[in-house]
Amino acid sequence: MQQFPLFGDVADVRERLAGVGYLADDAIATTVFLADRLGKPLLVEGPAGTGKTELAKAVAAAVSAELVRLQCYEGLDEARALYEWNYKKQLLRIQASGGDTSWDETHDDIFSEEFLLSRPLLTAIRRSEPTVLLIDETDKADVEVEGLLLEVLSDFQVTIPELGTIVADRRPFVVLTSNATRELSEALKRRCLYLYLDYPGAEREKAIVLARVPELPEELVEQLVRTVRALRAMELKKAPSLAESIDWAHTLLALGLNTLDEEAVRTTLGVVLKHASDQARAASQLKLS
Amino acid sequence: MSLLDRTVEFAGALRSAGIPVSTAETVDAMRAFGKIDISQREHLRAAFAATACKRPAHRTTFDTLFDLYFPPKLGDGVGQEMDGAPGEGEGDGEQTSADLAAISAAMRDQLRDLMLDGDEDAIRRFARNAVSSLGRTDSPAGRQSFFAYRVLRALSPETLIASLLAAMMGEQERGGMAEKVARQTIADRMKVFEEAVESEIRRRLAETKGVESVTRSAVKPLTDQVDFLRASRNDLIELRRQVQPLARRLATRLTAKRRLGRTGKLDFRRTVRASLATGGVPLETKHKPHKPHKPELVVFCDVSGSVSSFAHFTLMLTHALREQFSKVRAFAFIDTCDEVTDYLRSVDIGDAMARIAQNADLVWFDGHSDYGHAFEVFAERYPDAITPKTSLLVLGDARNNHRSAATPTVRRLVKEARHSYWLNPEPRSYWGSGDSATKVYEPLFDEMVECRNVEQLAEFVQRLLPT
């Protein structure tokens, strides 16, 4: 398996991610660079809406690689993650031949490329062009899937009994994301580089919102970020994250509001806080009524 | 000292602070260092964190230790950071008190400007300078020492708040949202400054006293190991933030376990439906899911001053997990008891405790814990609360102020319930000392569990929930 580094150095990561609209800080840029150079999968954890999935997409866009995505859910199995034989087509093939051919021929025929349904993991391994493999919400999958991931991600090879072992020509850049609804196994964590994406600092948040919604005046963004940070400091069920800040900025733009006063916050609070109890609490603490 | 030696020492310090760093991870870290420019300190930190610190709960400890083992500069660091700050490099000469007053006045002005501007790196740089010019004392033995309180007293940042608030708000109206937001912004920046001062002090102390001795005092216990009875206000806020994620984690683990368990009866309809895909041959049988057994929970909790934070946390957790139980009823007591289930149902559980303290009828005689009387009242007023399906959960330290234990009533209650547990936030070694009635109650219950921190509580809740 050959190694083709995607990035030159940490500054290069930063620049190219910025080029596709993802503002990375030192920690993000360094970790992405290391994941590329050490050829290790990158495990990204953090609260919802801090840009975990976005990071994978940005890396793919920055190096013009294709993004192969495996969305995890409860009950995800090998057949959905790795590969599956298209048994309906195989059945048709056997019936169509009408018993003229011998078993050996049929056998060789129905277990060939044509009848293989390739799922995201196998697809990513077989590609010869640059690939970013995104395994999204890994914590939602069952524990057995982790075992499968361990096997695939440590050697980047898959054994299909009927076809033999398939080895990756080119190691994909792997990003796993998790919301930490459960603790991932130590074994999986050990094989990955770990990046925790928390709510960004005030300055970085401002820069990100400005980059995403450039039409908004800077003072308004400053005000918005400060208000969001005040909300985060309250004890809420779900604190607003970066995604909510950006949504809020879009909302203000769409409504043509040019200042964030009590009235504006009261009417648009639903964009940032998604629980009735959180809204009530924020309204009373910000003295909105 | 080479980078390798330092790394190994650092990994050792992480381990003794409770962060598991395997040898393989140390090797990974060293390999990562080979790929990056290690003169960039933040890159070094990121590389180490990516390879060796894989739990967000460990991150604060990790950063504290990293600053000690890989300090940003040595000594006064003069010449590396010349930004014309007053007091820079003046620490060598004799400082008269007049000098010191002049320096601190000038630095106060500078701090105010930085706070208004909000550039966090500049604030951190300033904090480092402030420590070297204001935080130093020369002890008679000729050894220098550094104190955070000296810096904070000389600059008294809290007295800047009023003027900062005025500058930040300008013409806006006071008392409304604008003030709340401005205050929060100032508080955030103050925190950056104070943390930078503390970190700088630790660094200076580490230089004079050695890293190991500072490490021991600098490292705070991890959130899930903070003792309920000793938690500070900030700890409690942090703990309350953990309730929802913890409940979610416990519930997820539970559903996973349930799914792995036995499957239910054959689902004929779905099996036949699935067999159509394989030409009518039922290759795979489908089963109905098992209906999980959900216990009824009665929580009986002591909310007197000493253990209220523990009771609060546990009530919030059981409330967050209410979907896992068929019914949760909560009773609070000090020396008499009252049902508080309705308070927990209110929208904002965070305020529930305050309202319980205000409105519920908990005090009968003198407001000191009286377990015996509380149990008697409970048995008399709510005879239907405990049924053969109930798990009874008592929360409290069993410090009964030498009053009657009402053993017969408790024995009867426990007998009526399906299970009975007592969660005690005191260390096991204190049980039975002084006015603790632990020895009386322990034999009556199925189990009395030591529950001093979130870790132990989570472990217990997992056992309580059946699969």
Side-chain angles (χ1 to χ4, degrees):
Chain A
M1 186 168 14
Q2 273 181 290
Q3 280 285 30
F4 305 92
L6 302 170
F7 296 102
D9 58 13
V10 178
D12 183 38
V13 178
R14 246 187 139 138
E15 264 165 47
R16 283 162 76 182
L17 286 180
V20 292
Y22 192 97
L23 299 185
D25 59 11
D26 269 332
I28 297 176
T30 311
T31 319
V32 167
F33 174 71
L34 285 174
D36 173 35
R37 280 304 166 95
L38 298 176
K40 277 175 168 270
L42 174 59
L43 170 62
V44 192
E45 269 190 347
T50 43
K52 299 184 291 296
T53 307
E54 212 54 38
L55 176 61
K57 290 183 184 164
V59 170
V63 299
S64 12
E66 179 139 339
L67 184 74
V68 177
R69 179 171 178 162
L70 173 66
Q71 176 72 43
C72 295
Y73 51 85
E74 261 185 50
L76 177 78
D77 57 1
E78 229 177 80
R80 296 277 153 195
L82 197 54
Y83 73 90
E84 194 177 13
W85 288 108
N86 190 344
Y87 55 79
K88 285 172 205 161
K89 204 168 169 189
Q90 288 172 332
L91 214 61
L92 270 177
R93 166 72 187 75
I94 295 168
Q95 285 169 354
S97 71
D100 297 341
T101 45
S102 72
W103 167 242
D104 280 343
E105 275 173 55
T106 320
H107 172 271
D108 288 345
D109 196 24
I110 62 171
F111 287 108
S112 64
E113 201 68 26
E114 193 193 341
F115 298 92
L116 187 70
L117 291 175
S118 178
R119 303 294 186 200
L121 288 181
L122 184 61
T123 310
I125 285 179
R126 291 209 292 187
R127 280 176 55 85
S128 50
E129 288 80 48
T131 311
V132 172
L133 170 62
L134 166 63
I135 303 174
D136 216 357
E137 309 202 24
T138 315
D139 52 333
K140 297 268 161 55
D142 307 321
V143 182
E144 306 91 83
V145 175
E146 266 180 45
L148 174 71
L149 287 178
L150 276 183
E151 192 189 334
V152 174
L153 297 184
S154 54
D155 303 332
F156 291 96
Q157 62 176 40
V158 173
T159 304
I160 301 173
E162 296 85 355
L163 291 181
T165 301
I166 297 175
V167 185
D169 301 334
R170 184 174 187 140
R171 197 182 276 250
F173 185 94
V174 186
V175 179
L176 298 97
T177 74
S178 157
N179 276 326
T181 52
R182 70 183 173 82
E183 195 79 51
L184 297 177
S185 73
E186 288 298 322
L188 186 65
K189 280 194 166 176
R190 224 205 61 56
R191 281 170 178 77
C192 295
L193 291 180
Y194 182 85
L195 176 65
Y196 185 74
L197 280 187
D198 207 344
Y199 304 123
E203 283 164 64
R204 198 168 152 254
E205 182 157 19
K206 190 175 144 194
I208 293 172
V209 175
L210 271 175
R212 284 307 183 86
V213 195
E215 300 90 345
L216 223 54
E218 199 183 325
E219 303 87 79
L220 184 55
V221 173
E222 168 101 36
Q223 239 182 342
L224 184 150
V225 168
R226 282 189 193 172
T227 314
V228 168
R229 290 178 71 82
L231 289 172
R232 267 178 215 150
M234 297 173 193
E235 284 179 44
L236 300 175
K237 257 189 187 160
K238 172 69 184 85
S241 68
L242 187 53
E244 270 88 32
S245 299
I246 295 172
D247 283 350
W248 210 7
H250 278 299
T251 312
L252 295 180
L253 186 67
L255 293 176
L257 296 168
N258 44 24
T259 169
L260 196 64
D261 53 11
E262 273 95 344
E263 180 59 33
V265 172
R266 185 164 51 232
T267 46
T268 55
L269 200 57
V271 179
V272 268
L273 299 179
K274 313 283 169 77
H275 288 277
S277 60
D278 285 355
Q279 288 188 10
R281 173 165 269 236
S284 82
Q285 293 207 0
L286 291 177
K287 305 194 177 73
L288 290 181
S289 45
Chain B
M1 186 185 288
S2 75
L3 182 63
L4 174 64
D5 291 339
R6 200 64 173 166
T7 307
V8 172
E9 261 181 39
F10 179 48
L14 288 174
R15 276 180 212 130
S16 45
I19 303 178
V21 181
S22 66
T23 315
E25 281 166 338
T26 321
V27 173
D28 281 349
M30 281 313 289
R31 274 175 54 210
F33 293 165
K35 305 280 179 189
I36 57 164
D37 175 8
I38 53 169
S39 66
Q40 296 273 346
R41 189 164 162 269
E42 286 312 307
H43 295 186
L44 192 67
R45 185 201 297 269
F48 220 120
T51 44
C53 174
K54 298 187 173 172
R55 247 178 235 169
H58 294 156
R59 187 57 204 242
T60 325
T61 309
F62 173 86
D63 280 336
T64 308
L65 289 175
F66 184 86
D67 286 338
L68 283 175
Y69 279 80
F70 299 92
K73 57 177 186 172
L74 297 173
D76 278 343
V78 180
Q80 289 173 26
E81 284 185 53
M82 290 297 277
D83 56 357
E88 182 80 85
E90 288 176 24
D92 311 328
E94 283 288 304
Q95 285 178 335
T96 64
S97 57
D99 281 347
L100 207 62
I103 292 170
S104 49
M107 291 191 85
R108 254 174 74 85
D109 288 343
Q110 205 190 354
L111 177 63
R112 182 176 175 278
D113 293 343
L114 284 171
M115 286 281 165
L116 264 185
D117 188 46
D119 179 352
E120 293 186 2
D121 286 336
I123 294 178
R124 284 196 193 97
R125 258 199 316 274
F126 174 80
R128 288 204 281 273
N129 288 332
V131 169
S132 44
S133 34
L134 301 171
R136 179 195 323 238
T137 57
D138 292 308
S139 63
R143 285 181 60 174
Q144 291 175 341
S145 200
F146 293 87
F147 295 99
Y149 81 88
R150 283 178 65 92
V151 180
L152 296 178
R153 198 180 52 192
L155 293 175
S156 54
E158 66 283 352
T159 55
L160 287 172
I161 290 176
S163 113
L164 283 172
L165 207 56
M168 215 175 263
M169 290 181 57
E171 299 293 297
Q172 284 163 298
E173 204 182 315
R174 286 299 179 103
M177 184 187 82
E179 182 175 338
K180 169 90 187 169
V181 171
R183 275 187 190 279
Q184 185 60 47
T185 311
I186 296 170
D188 280 354
R189 289 173 188 171
M190 287 286 176
K191 205 172 152 216
V192 171
F193 174 68
E194 276 164 23
E195 279 175 0
V197 168
E198 270 165 30
S199 141
E200 176 68 2
I201 296 273
R202 277 197 296 271
R203 182 184 74 77
R204 303 299 291 245
L205 288 180
E207 272 179 12
T208 50
K209 288 189 187 166
V211 178
E212 285 75 15
S213 72
V214 180
T215 306
R216 249 172 279 134
S217 59
V219 175
K220 299 196 181 93
L222 305 170
T223 314
D224 60 352
Q225 285 164 14
V226 170
D227 210 315
F228 283 122
L229 296 182
R230 292 203 200 127
S232 68
R233 218 178 130 257
N234 285 340
D235 287 339
L236 288 176
I237 293 175
E238 188 46 44
L239 280 177
R240 285 204 290 275
R241 283 183 198 278
Q242 300 291 322
V243 168
Q244 292 291 344
L246 177 64
R248 213 179 43 182
R249 273 206 302 280
L250 290 175
T252 320
R253 212 175 299 170
L254 192 70
T255 23
K257 251 161 92 188
R258 279 190 186 141
R259 213 167 342 96
L260 278 182
R262 304 159 293 151
T263 41
K265 281 195 283 187
L266 183 75
D267 187 335
F268 191 71
R269 208 188 72 83
R270 280 179 59 223
T271 307
V272 171
R273 182 73 189 76
S275 75
L276 295 182
T278 43
V281 185
L283 287 184
E284 232 181 312
T285 54
K286 302 278 178 181
H287 296 263
K288 286 177 184 152
H290 248 298
K291 216 175 181 181
H293 163 74
K294 292 185 173 181
E296 271 179 39
L297 192 64
V298 168
V299 189
F300 189 70
C301 57
D302 184 355
V303 292
S304 65
S306 55
V307 290
S308 64
S309 55
F310 167 63
H312 186 181
F313 186 83
T314 312
L315 275 182
M316 281 176 80
L317 185 66
T318 48
H319 180 73
L321 280 168
R322 66 194 175 282
E323 275 160 25
Q324 307 298 333
F325 301 100
S326 62
K327 197 168 162 194
V328 179
R329 285 183 82 177
F331 300 86
F333 69 90
I334 295 175
D335 59 4
T336 185
C337 102
D338 195 4
E339 176 156 14
V340 296
T341 317
D342 288 338
Y343 296 99
L344 298 183
R345 271 199 208 111
S346 72
V347 203
D348 198 333
I349 185 102
D351 294 336
M353 277 322 258
R355 298 206 295 127
I356 288 172
Q358 239 172 42
N359 304 333
D361 174 23
L362 304 176
V363 176
W364 158 70
F365 180 57
D366 62 353
H368 293 295
S369 296
D370 185 339
Y371 282 71
H373 186 255
F375 275 120
E376 300 274 14
V377 172
F378 174 68
E380 187 187 302
R381 242 197 265 170
Y382 308 100
D384 56 339
I386 293 188
T387 68
K389 282 188 202 158
T390 311
S391 293
L392 172 67
L393 207 60
V394 179
L395 315 178
D397 55 4
R399 298 232 163 247
N400 203 13
N401 297 306
H402 303 291
R403 290 172 181 173
S404 137
T407 324
T409 317
V410 179
R411 185 173 288 129
R412 187 166 56 78
L413 288 173
V414 166
K415 214 172 158 192
E416 278 169 18
R418 182 187 173 104
H419 296 293
S420 56
Y421 304 96
W422 187 304
L423 304 187
N424 193 334
E426 278 196 344
R428 200 174 277 274
S429 54
Y430 292 4
W431 293 5
S433 69
D435 61 348
S436 168
T438 328
K439 292 285 172 261
V440 181
Y441 289 125
E442 191 177 0
L444 302 180
F445 282 77
D446 286 5
E447 200 178 348
M448 189 178 269
V449 187
E450 181 192 62
C451 209
R452 293 164 61 192
N453 52 38
V454 177
E455 201 181 17
Q456 287 178 331
L457 181 61
E459 204 174 291
F460 170 78
V461 170
Q462 265 194 92
R463 266 201 296 146
L464 177 72
L465 292 167
T467 49

